[in-house]
Amino acid sequence: MRGGRVAVVGGSIAGCAAALALGRGGAEGITVYERAAGRLADRGVGLAVHNARYAELEAAGHLDASMPWVRLVRRRWYVRDDTAANGPLGREIAVMPFPFRTYNWGPLWHALRRRVPEAADFRPGSAVEAVEVTPDGAEVHAGGRTERYDVVIGADGYRSAVRTAVCADVRPEYAGYLAWRGAYPSARLRDPELWAEDECGYVVFEGGHLIVYRIPDGTDGGHRVNWVLYTAPPPGLDQGLQTPTSLPPGTAGDGLRTHLAYVAAELLPPYWGDLVRATTHDELFLQPMYDFTAPRYAVGRALLMGDAAAVARPHTGAGAVKALQDATVLESALTSTATWSDALAAYDAARAPAGRVMVDLGRRLGRALVQETPDWRTLDRTGLETWWKQADGTGAFGGRELTD
């Protein structure tokens, strides 16, 4: 299929991947609207990609070995146990294989941005106010201008303007807990030899858990410490996060920071509590847990991908993977059909079911790891492995395999 003007709303990882897929798939006019005017590459938090999913995405031309990454091979589960023999890391419950690559969001975005076709019109600082979709095209309203396209792609995250236009009744639902996140240079880490560079730490406590892994720093081959802590805030301290929003770095209120300090001091083993406390206020941000999935990923001449189509809680270990898989399937749909209608229908048939599986997995893992946690102190390796198999269910952790 050749020709057609396409608007991509959103220029982050999903949007750049969509533009690349469109270029390879034959679209001739590609415009990318990105609301942020600054450098997206400055974002420095981490994400992880399962090795098997990496192999698929490398074959699809979205990832490659030149993008800075850190190799993980195992994850160790710890729980606080104040018995002196257990040491500062806490009691080790189990060790499991963890075949993942970790990335720094900013450098990964920059690598994908370089792959956007040169002919594409990438417009930073262009916030889309509204989208109107018709049976034969779409109108995008941004910056006082209205432009018409043959197709519009919503890659604009969980507050998607494109999704609002085609699925106005689908809104993210607050799960009742938050993710505190931080990332900082590994030189700040005390006693780094206690935590191997190829290991991910899962530190569990009643009502939540902490995940810690290293990511590239994006400059000189060094590393950053990346951590995510999930737990519910005390009543009244959610800062209005039940509605779709987030708290950027440096904006968490005193109450939330006090609660984080309590978790670090009283619920985490000393080493991991110190690791969290080493994060400065300007490096700390909060991500409320929401989930939803649109009933259809293509409606008329609008297509949804990434978090605009479905938000699965990060417990799945597959957020970026899903967005890149969406782009891979979009390219395949474009190159194997003769019309836009057929291409969008093929994409919808392939990706909507996959999104539902990942959202269901995120909810199940959220219950197991945060909302209905077991008594961690009673678990040994066998008990934890049995519990994890039940929590993972379909074995989709890290992302589902792409099929032909």
Side-chain angles (χ1 to χ4, degrees):
M1 185 171 65
R2 292 287 167 185
R5 297 186 69 236
V6 185
V8 179
V9 182
S12 62
I13 286 177
C16 289
L20 178 60
L22 288 165
R24 291 172 173 172
E28 293 179 351
I30 304 169
T31 301
V32 181
Y33 294 86
E34 168 52 46
R35 69 167 63 94
R39 284 172 46 84
L40 291 178
D42 290 338
R43 298 179 183 177
V45 297
L47 58 92
V49 175
H50 192 284
N51 285 356
R53 305 291 78 76
Y54 170 82
E56 296 170 355
L57 295 170
E58 181 185 39
H62 289 293
L63 300 178
D64 63 48
S66 70
M67 299 172 174
W69 58 286
V70 174
R71 177 173 178 259
L72 298 181
V73 298
R74 66 187 69 85
R75 60 176 163 176
R76 293 186 186 271
W77 296 73
Y78 297 95
V79 65
R80 179 163 176 164
D81 187 332
D82 292 329
T83 303
N86 290 312
L89 298 178
R91 179 172 70 84
E92 181 181 299
I93 305 175
V95 183
M96 294 181 177
F98 201 70
F100 277 77
R101 293 169 171 242
T102 70
Y103 294 87
N104 184 318
W105 194 100
L108 179 61
W109 172 84
H110 197 272
L112 291 169
R113 173 67 182 88
R114 289 197 301 266
R115 298 186 179 196
V116 172
E118 291 185 5
D121 182 8
F122 196 99
R123 302 180 184 178
S126 297
V128 171
E129 292 99 25
V131 174
E132 297 179 56
V133 180
T134 65
D136 60 351
E139 291 184 348
V140 176
H141 304 272
R145 298 171 56 190
T146 298
E147 296 184 64
R148 185 166 182 80
Y149 297 90
D150 296 295
V151 172
V152 61
I153 294 180
D156 47 342
Y158 66 97
R159 292 179 288 184
S160 170
V162 180
R163 189 185 66 251
T164 298
V166 296
C167 304
D169 58 336
V170 176
R171 298 187 179 184
E173 297 180 4
Y174 179 51
Y177 61 97
L178 313 177
W180 279 257
R181 302 191 64 135
Y184 55 82
S186 59
R188 201 185 304 166
L189 183 68
R190 294 177 57 185
D191 301 321
E193 69 280 359
L194 295 179
W195 168 36
E197 292 185 355
D198 60 359
E199 291 185 351
C200 173
Y202 268 59
V203 189
V204 294
F205 55 90
E206 183 180 359
H209 65 293
L210 169 73
I211 300 176
V212 185
Y213 54 83
R214 291 176 175 87
I215 61 174
D217 66 8
T219 55
D220 58 2
H223 292 165
R224 293 172 65 84
V225 174
N226 182 84
W227 62 267
V228 189
L229 186 146
Y230 300 93
T231 191
L237 289 182
D238 52 28
Q239 293 190 207
L241 296 174
Q242 299 97 328
T243 56
T245 188
S246 61
L247 292 181
T251 61
D254 291 343
L256 287 171
R257 285 186 286 141
T258 297
H259 179 64
L260 178 62
Y262 162 77
V263 173
E266 302 297 330
L267 303 183
L268 299 180
Y271 182 85
W272 307 111
D274 288 344
L275 182 148
V276 169
R277 282 189 291 267
T279 312
T280 68
H281 179 47
D282 290 342
E283 294 164 336
L284 174 69
F285 74 96
L286 277 82
Q287 176 185 0
M289 293 296 97
Y290 306 106
D291 45 40
F292 76 94
T293 184
R296 295 184 60 190
Y297 281 19
V299 179
R301 289 298 186 90
L303 180 148
L304 303 173
M305 62 184 297
D307 286 350
V311 169
R313 302 180 203 177
H315 311 299
T316 62
V321 164
K322 179 188 172 299
L324 295 174
Q325 286 181 330
D326 287 349
T328 301
V329 173
L330 172 60
E331 179 182 344
S332 177
L334 291 173
T335 56
S336 62
T337 58
T339 69
W340 281 111
S341 296
D342 289 345
L344 270 61
Y347 172 85
D348 177 56
R351 296 310 291 162
R356 287 191 287 271
V357 168
M358 297 313 297
V359 171
D360 288 344
L361 174 62
R363 290 169 176 159
R364 188 164 58 248
L365 291 176
R367 287 192 297 271
L369 284 161
V370 180
Q371 297 165 307
E372 300 173 10
T373 52
D375 185 352
W376 302 109
R377 290 180 174 83
T378 67
L379 294 182
D380 57 12
R381 176 176 177 173
T382 300
L384 185 67
E385 289 176 346
T386 300
W387 168 88
W388 175 255
K389 289 179 181 178
Q390 293 173 343
D392 188 12
T394 59
F397 178 72
R400 296 189 68 186
E401 178 183 4
L402 272 179
T403 63
D404 293 338

